[in-house]
Amino acid sequence: MKRFLPPLKRIAALLLVLVAAGALFQLAARYPAQWDVTQNALNSLEPGSVDALALLKGPVKITVYATQQDARFGDIRKFISEFVALYQRYKPDISLTFVDPVKEPEAMRKVTIKGNGEMVVEYAGRNEHLTTLNEQTLSSALLSLAHDKDQTLMYLGGHGERKLEGIANDDLGDFGARLKQLGYSTVSLNLALAQDIPANTSMMVITHPQIRLMPGEVSKLLHYIDNGGNLLWLVDAEPLRGLEPLAEKLGISFIPGIVIDPAAQEMNAPLNWTLGTGYPPQAITRNFDLITVFPDARAISFDQKDGWQIHPLVEGAPRGWTSDHGISKHLDKNRDIPGPFSLAVTLQRTVNDREQRIIVVGTGSFLANIYSGNGGNLDLGVNMVNWLAKEERLITVQPHAAKDGKIALSKNQLTTISVSFLVLLPLLLIAIGTLQWWRRKH
């Protein structure tokens, strides 16, 4: 009887292993899980992209007009399928279809396809065309499709203001381009020519004028505010040039001089930079923990006027001060005003049974082309616009450019790796095998 016990034990152990394997298979099938252990999380989406997918409650259809082989990129269908699979992992109802533009030219003409590899993303009867494929472009297209209504953003022009479509360093072209990607329409408005601010304006953007506004133009702005219009006002460290009545109506004033921030200086930043590090809790800065940069910032003070609810949006320079006599590295207790300061504020009230929203920022430079790429500046600017447009559900950390997954190796490093895998590793395995054989024989 004892002769049969070892085989029985082995059979029982084998059965237990099979049962355990079957149980693990059932658990894996019912509760799938994945972990991305790559250094830059190359096989995962950024939080902003995941949030964008969560906004889309229905199916998304992606049609790619691409040949099987491309002269420059080879099998682009395989690349696109693997890339879209990242999105399908978070949203399984994304469908992907390929159309060969050579074999089906009529289908290509119907949707106005301009080149090989162009992608059409469709959701809820709307569509976006993509000619460049990376996480930022696709996620931005999904955010644009998540908009359930058209939003027209007017920005004041005719006085040397920063342009939302400009390419100069001081313009806001990068910011304007991001807003267009998200589905906003941006239109310049000259109040000297326009009879009034159009009724379909979702919000006005005012950047600092270089020449004084005429009283008639200011009257149209004040009329817009009185009727409950939403406003984003970017104020530079210069005279208001006719906009004093607007500041008075809002109960806003600006402390003379610019904010000096020792924390920025300790990071070897320019002396005129102030870091936005304090974000009082509200929808615009929900889950927002990025540092923002405010060059030549003005400190904002405010009075609680009747009907308005005014709250700080961004705070900075807790150890800093404002200086109106040039940039200095040390506080002048006789002339300077110590911090902390409000760098941006929000205003809300109810007018004509609807909520009015206004944001005032103590610098326009933080969204300028030359500075918008610093920290979370562009993310914060987009969040401001989404809040003003009453699109809180779109407030999220914006998807950024694709991560760099390239590894640069020198010739010596490549030689070392090749010799290790092709010579040393096989010799090591042979040595281990020989040692095991010798031990068993002796």
Side-chain angles (χ1 to χ4, degrees), residues 4-250:
F4 297 101
L5 288 178
L8 287 174
K9 288 182 178 180
R10 286 195 292 268
I11 292 172
L14 178 60
L15 290 174
L16 287 174
V17 170
L18 292 175
V19 170
L24 288 174
F25 175 78
Q26 291 296 328
L27 287 172
R30 184 171 297 184
Y31 306 105
Q34 295 176 328
W35 290 270
D36 187 354
V37 295
T38 56
Q39 182 177 4
N40 291 327
L42 296 176
N43 296 315
S44 302
L45 296 179
E46 288 194 348
S49 299
V50 178
D51 292 342
L53 290 172
L55 296 171
L56 305 171
K57 302 306 181 184
V60 175
K61 180 181 178 182
I62 299 178
T63 305
V64 182
Y65 295 81
T67 56
Q68 188 68 46
Q69 292 290 328
D70 183 82
R72 289 186 300 167
F73 304 110
D75 189 356
I76 60 175
R77 290 191 176 189
K78 179 182 178 182
F79 165 76
I80 293 172
S81 297
E82 292 174 348
F83 180 76
V84 173
L86 291 177
Y87 287 79
Q88 292 171 325
R89 184 193 307 171
Y90 298 90
K91 186 174 174 59
D93 58 350
I94 294 179
S95 64
L96 176 63
T97 304
F98 289 97
V99 175
D100 192 328
V102 176
K103 297 179 180 178
E104 302 181 54
E106 187 60 31
M108 182 176 173
R109 283 193 292 268
K110 282 183 179 179
V111 290
T112 319
I113 299 300
K114 298 178 181 177
N116 190 36
E118 188 168 340
M119 173 183 292
V120 180
V121 185
E122 298 177 76
Y123 170 76
R126 301 186 300 278
N127 65 77
E128 291 282 336
H129 285 238
L130 299 179
T131 56
T132 302
L133 182 60
N134 56 48
E135 184 173 347
Q136 183 178 12
T137 57
L138 181 52
S139 297
S140 295
L142 295 173
L143 278 173
S144 175
L145 293 172
H147 279 266
D148 55 7
K149 54 185 176 181
D150 294 330
Q151 300 276 12
T152 301
L153 186 154
M154 295 280 184
Y155 62 96
L156 188 63
H159 315 88
E161 296 92 344
R162 305 174 190 268
K163 299 178 178 64
L164 263 72
E165 299 173 351
I167 59 174
N169 287 340
D170 290 333
D171 285 330
L172 312 180
D174 293 341
F175 177 54
R178 180 65 64 84
L179 294 179
K180 286 185 176 180
Q181 285 180 348
L182 299 177
Y184 290 99
S185 300
T186 59
V187 181
S188 177
L189 180 66
N190 189 330
L191 288 178
L193 303 177
Q195 186 173 359
D196 212 337
I197 297 176
N200 66 336
T201 301
S202 298
M203 75 194 74
M204 275 291 298
V205 176
I206 301 177
T207 61
H208 215 85
Q210 298 305 302
I211 59 175
R212 189 174 184 83
L213 273 72
M214 293 182 289
E217 295 176 292
V218 178
S219 296
K220 294 173 185 178
L221 281 175
L222 298 180
H223 179 69
Y224 172 76
I225 298 299
D226 289 336
N227 286 340
N230 299 326
L231 173 68
L232 174 60
W233 186 13
L234 308 178
V235 185
D236 288 322
E238 300 175 10
L240 293 182
R241 298 191 177 99
L243 292 174
E244 292 85 355
L246 177 59
E248 183 179 353
K249 178 176 283 291
L250 300 178

Side-chain angles (χ1 to χ4, degrees), residues 402-419:
K403 308 177 185 74
D404 185 6
K406 296 181 179 178
I407 300 177
L409 298 175
S410 66
K411 187 176 181 180
N412 291 336
Q413 289 172 325
L414 287 171
T415 301
T416 302
I417 293 174
S418 300
V419 171

